[in-house]
């Protein structure tokens, strides 16, 4: 293969839902054919050993760290028994009687199975929030819920729900986030990733949202993010940074000077910085892809100090990718060239390790979708610690279980185009988003990834999916990881928003869902407010204000909401 300098080429794929999926392919010598191109050249994880659960992580073997080391690929799930009807109880996962051994595939996570009713992990250790884990509690639908019928995630008539109650709707379709008793909605602009206004709403009474403020959205990014920690609350959209300490009245503090030439010209969808953003756990840094850029926004009063550091060229060097492009990583205006290292991304709680994964999987990238963990503990340097292939990162979240183990979850985007009849191991590249992937990252080493999906997406059910028109395709997810709890809120296309308990990282269990059939905004992230027990979901027609029902609060090991009006009858 030629080692010519890659140049970004824009390809727009128009999906049947009228949404554009953007693939930014780098031309290397000839064309941009899709497909796997072998393992990564930097330190790659070897297959894990001593697995004890269906997830396939277990005790990990150390990575060799030498060039050309083999990397873990997702475990192929085995066929699980399917349901013909969904009872008034959320599906809570298939738990095999014994863990996988060498050559034996793990059972799929996230599937429903008869006789498995307990939600959560019995681990007694403290979680990342410092609270002790609670004993498992059965997760049941509420008496007024309308559980889905047939296969998990299949098409149903009207709205179906289990454990989540719609309290109200904010009458704007757009990207939503939250802080305190407030919700924020970014209204879509005329160009991809560009918003027009950011509206603030008070949810003091979740049954009656009240608009309190409006700010102008600046720049562009695929999603809008907010993060609140003790003494600090920030919201970031595009290049705009807003102080939301007074949640009802966001204050714009400044703008991030993303160096991408495409972003500076308004072409955010092809920007290696600004295309997508994430906020660090301490709310003091903003990460950006499609490459790997970071900006420290610790001092909100001094936006001139927000200097973007683009680590993409250093990542190229450490991963063995050509990086002889002038003006690619230095200066105020940088060319959008080189390998992609992230879309969404995340860091660990301590802010010392960053996790990102590309999503393209083309020969031009010289690797399949590949996840990397990077040491960022020293501000002026980075080091790739480990690599795992066939792990996409359009969405990316980290969490820590109550027993101290660490995991990440990632998925690609596909707009429902992937074929559910394809058997495992399935393609993970752009266009394939039937499955999320989970992998343990304890000890700064990757374990063995495994897929997380719904019954309707499994190969053995593909004819049923074709008959019903089922299309459960992921674009985003958000993890709540506080107070000894860990759960993911995941957008599964026409299957709605699904909630999985993650306290046992190797055995995610679905405990709740809400699906009105209308779908969600592409790349819309979620927010859970523990004080009020409400969840915000970025619907296409409106933002849903959902209540997590009391029995689900218990099942997930969460503290009961402190709002005296809960559960808002």
């Amino acid at each position: 293969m030629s080692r010519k300098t890659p140049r970004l080429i824009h390809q727009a794929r128009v999906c049947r839902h009228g949404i554009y999926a953007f693939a930014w392919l780098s031309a290397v010598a000839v064309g941009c054919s899709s497909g796997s191109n072998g393992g990564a050249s930097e330190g790659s994880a070897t297959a894990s050993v001593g697995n004890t659960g269906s997830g396939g992580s277990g005790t990990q073997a150390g990575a060799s760290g030498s060039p050309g080391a083999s990397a873990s690929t997702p475990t192929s799930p085995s066929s699980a028994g399917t349901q013909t009807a969904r009872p008034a109880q959320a599906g809570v996962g298939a738990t095999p009687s014994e863990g996988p051994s060498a050559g034996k595939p793990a059972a799929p996570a996230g599937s429903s199975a008869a006789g498995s009713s307990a939600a959560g992990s019995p681990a007694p250790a403290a979680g990342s929030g410092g609270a002790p884990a609670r004993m498992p509690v059965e997760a049941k639908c509420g008496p007024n819920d309308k559980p889905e019928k047939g296969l998990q995630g299949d098409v149903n008539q009207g709205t179906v729900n289990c454990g989540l109650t719609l309290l109200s709707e904010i009458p704007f379709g757009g990207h939503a986030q939250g802080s305190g008793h407030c919700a924020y909605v970014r209204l879509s602009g005329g160009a991809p990733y560009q918003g027009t206004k950011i509206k603030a709403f008070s949810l003091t009474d979740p049954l009656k949202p009240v608009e309190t403020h409006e700010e102008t959205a600046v720049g562009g990014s695929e999603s809008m993010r907010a993060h609140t920690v003790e003494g600090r609350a920030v919201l970031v959209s595009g290049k705009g940074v807003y102080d939301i300490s007074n949640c009802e009245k966001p204050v714009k503090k400044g703008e991030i000077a993303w160096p991408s030439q495409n972003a500076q010209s308004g072409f955010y969808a092809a920007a290696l910085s600004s295309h997508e953003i994430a906020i660090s756990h301490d709310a003091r840094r903003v990460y950006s892809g499609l490459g790997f850029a970071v900006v420290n926004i610790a001092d909100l009063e001094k936006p001139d100090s927000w200097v973007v550091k683009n680590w993409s060229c250093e990542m190229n060097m450490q991963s063995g990718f050509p990086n002889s492009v002038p003006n690619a990583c230095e200066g105020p205006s940088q060319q959008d060239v080189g390998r992609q290292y992230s879309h969404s991304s995340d860091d660990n709680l301590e802010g010392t390790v960053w996790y990102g994964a590309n999503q393209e999987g083309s020969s031009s990238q010289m690797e399949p979708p590949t996840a990397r963990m990077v040491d960022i503990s020293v501000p002026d340097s980075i080091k790739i610690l480990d690599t795992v292939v066939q792990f996409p990162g359009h969405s990316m979240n980290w969490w820590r279980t109550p027993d101290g183990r660490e995991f990440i979850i990632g998925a690609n985007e596909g707009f429902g185009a992937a074929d559910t009849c394809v058997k495992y191991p399935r393609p993970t590249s752009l266009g394939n988003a039937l499955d999320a992937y989970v992998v343990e990252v304890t000890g700064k080493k990757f374990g063995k990834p495994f897929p997380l999906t719904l019954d309707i997406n499994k190969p053995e059910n593909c004819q049923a999916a074709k008959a019903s028109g089922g299309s459960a395709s992921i674009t985003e997810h958000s993890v709540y990881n506080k107070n000894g709890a860990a759960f993911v809120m995941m957008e599964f296309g026409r299957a709605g928003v699904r909630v999985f308990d993650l306290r046992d990282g190797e055995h995610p269990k679905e405990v709740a869902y809400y699906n009105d059939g209308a779908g969600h905004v592409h790349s819309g992230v979620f927010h859970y407010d523990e004080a009020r027990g409400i969840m915000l979901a970025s619907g296409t027609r409106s933002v849903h204000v959902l209540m997590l029902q009391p029995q689900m609060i218990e099942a997930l090991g969460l503290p009961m909401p402190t709002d005296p009006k809960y559960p808002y009858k």
Side-chain angles (χ1 to χ4, degrees):
M1 177 176 290
S2 170
R3 305 287 281 184
K4 291 182 180 179
T5 299
R7 300 288 176 180
L8 291 182
I9 296 175
H10 169 221
Q11 288 188 346
R13 296 173 180 164
V14 183
C15 302
R16 61 191 178 97
H17 297 297
I19 306 173
Y20 288 88
F22 293 93
W24 314 114
L25 311 181
S26 312
V28 180
V30 289
C32 293
S33 60
S34 61
S36 239
N37 202 356
S41 58
E42 66 269 27
S44 301
T46 58
S48 57
V49 296
N51 298 330
T52 58
S54 67
S57 291
T59 305
Q60 301 165 21
S64 67
S66 59
S70 62
S72 296
T73 53
T75 301
S76 301
S78 61
S79 298
T82 59
Q83 288 183 306
T84 57
R86 297 277 285 156
Q89 175 182 342
V92 289
T95 306
S97 59
E98 59 180 342
S101 57
K104 179 180 178 181
S111 57
S112 51
S116 181
S117 60
S121 165
S128 64
R134 294 163 175 80
M135 294 303 291
V137 176
E138 189 175 4
K140 293 183 177 180
C141 299
N144 297 319
D145 291 347
K146 182 184 176 183
E148 58 189 359
K149 300 182 184 300
L151 293 168
Q152 179 193 34
D154 202 354
V155 175
N156 283 259
Q157 294 297 318
T159 297
V160 292
N161 71 304
C162 177
L164 285 170
T165 301
L166 180 65
L167 297 179
S168 60
E169 297 180 79
I170 299 174
F172 299 97
H175 292 84
Q177 278 287 264
S179 178
H181 64 272
C182 296
Y184 308 100
V185 185
R186 187 183 77 182
L187 308 186
S188 298
Y193 312 144
Q194 187 174 18
T196 55
K197 302 289 184 181
I198 299 173
K199 291 180 175 288
F201 294 84
S202 171
L203 298 178
T204 301
D205 181 356
L207 298 172
K208 298 179 180 179
V210 176
E211 184 173 344
T212 60
H213 190 70
E214 182 181 282
E215 285 282 341
T216 300
V218 292
S221 55
E222 191 160 337
S223 70
M224 176 179 70
R225 308 279 176 144
H227 195 56
T228 301
V229 295
E230 187 174 355
R232 186 178 179 88
V234 297
L235 181 146
V236 182
S237 176
K239 59 183 180 181
V241 177
Y242 306 83
D243 184 346
I244 53 175
S245 298
N246 176 358
C247 78
E248 294 188 3
K249 190 175 182 180
V251 177
K252 182 184 174 186
K253 306 303 290 187
E255 298 182 6
I256 299 171
W258 296 115
S260 159
Q261 290 181 353
N262 283 330
Q264 291 168 4
S265 64
F267 194 19
Y268 307 109
L272 285 188
S273 60
S274 175
H275 176 105
E276 181 58 302
I277 54 174
I279 301 176
S280 63
H281 276 80
D282 63 5
R284 293 176 176 270
R285 285 169 291 184
V286 181
Y287 305 115
S288 184
L290 298 164
F292 175 25
V294 59
V295 55
N296 189 317
I297 60 167
D299 193 340
L300 292 178
E301 302 304 321
K302 296 181 179 179
D304 289 345
S305 67
W306 303 347
V307 179
V308 178
K309 176 61 179 177
N310 187 353
W311 289 112
S312 297
C313 292
E314 178 64 23
M315 294 284 283
N316 287 341
M317 184 180 70
Q318 292 190 28
S319 67
F321 191 78
N323 64 333
S324 58
V325 180
N327 194 33
C329 296
E330 300 295 338
S333 183
Q334 300 169 12
Q335 296 185 61
D336 293 276
V337 295
R339 176 180 274 169
Q340 300 171 15
Y341 292 101
S342 68
H343 188 268
S344 182
S345 63
D346 205 356
D347 62 0
N348 62 355
L349 184 65
E350 294 75 21
T352 57
V353 180
W354 173 87
Y355 303 91
N358 59 36
Q359 61 176 129
E360 187 184 306
S362 71
S363 59
S364 64
Q365 293 288 293
M366 301 173 65
E367 65 180 9
T370 300
R372 293 174 172 86
M373 63 173 71
V374 180
D375 187 335
I376 57 170
S377 59
V378 179
D380 297 327
S381 66
I382 63 167
K383 181 182 179 181
I384 297 175
L385 298 172
D386 205 3
T387 300
V388 65
V389 299
Q390 302 298 353
F391 195 102
H394 181 268
S395 50
M396 178 69 67
N397 292 118
W398 169 95
W399 80 94
R400 182 174 287 144
T401 62
D403 61 358
R405 297 168 70 183
E406 298 178 28
F407 293 81
I408 61 171
I409 181 172
N412 220 317
E413 59 181 335
F415 307 99
D419 185 358
T420 62
C421 292
V422 176
K423 295 182 179 181
Y424 294 96
R426 284 172 164 168
T428 60
S429 56
L430 187 68
N432 297 278
L434 298 172
D435 308 87
Y437 291 87
V438 177
V439 65
E440 185 169 3
V441 295
T442 308
K444 299 180 181 179
K445 295 289 183 184
F446 282 116
K448 191 173 185 65
F450 64 93
L452 172 64
T453 194
L454 303 178
D455 286 346
I456 195 63
N457 285 341
K458 294 177 182 176
E460 61 266 30
N461 298 324
C462 71
Q463 296 305 320
K466 288 181 178 180
S468 67
S471 176
S473 185
I474 306 164
T475 64
E476 259 298 348
H477 46 69
S478 302
V479 166
Y480 175 93
N481 191 201
K482 302 176 185 177
N483 302 308
F487 65 89
V488 62
M489 300 160 278
M490 186 177 300
E491 181 261 312
F492 256 106
R494 293 185 64 189
V497 56
R498 323 292 295 205
V499 178
F500 291 82
D501 189 345
L502 298 177
R503 284 175 294 172
D504 181 349
E506 290 184 330
H507 304 88
K509 298 176 176 68
E510 183 186 74
V511 297
Y513 52 85
Y514 179 87
N515 183 16
D516 67 355
H520 294 81
V521 171
H522 185 76
S523 294
V525 292
F526 301 87
H527 172 72
Y528 177 69
D529 174 9
E530 63 268 22
R532 274 153 283 278
I534 59 175
M535 185 184 301
L536 300 176
S538 305
T540 55
R541 298 179 298 202
S542 62
V543 172
H544 294 158
V545 181
L546 300 165
M547 181 190 74
L548 198 58
Q549 296 170 10
Q551 77 279 9
M552 293 302 174
I553 298 281
E554 290 188 73
L556 288 166
L558 289 162
M560 274 295 167
T562 55
D563 187 342
K565 297 186 293 296
Y566 179 86
Y568 312 110
K569 295 180 179 178

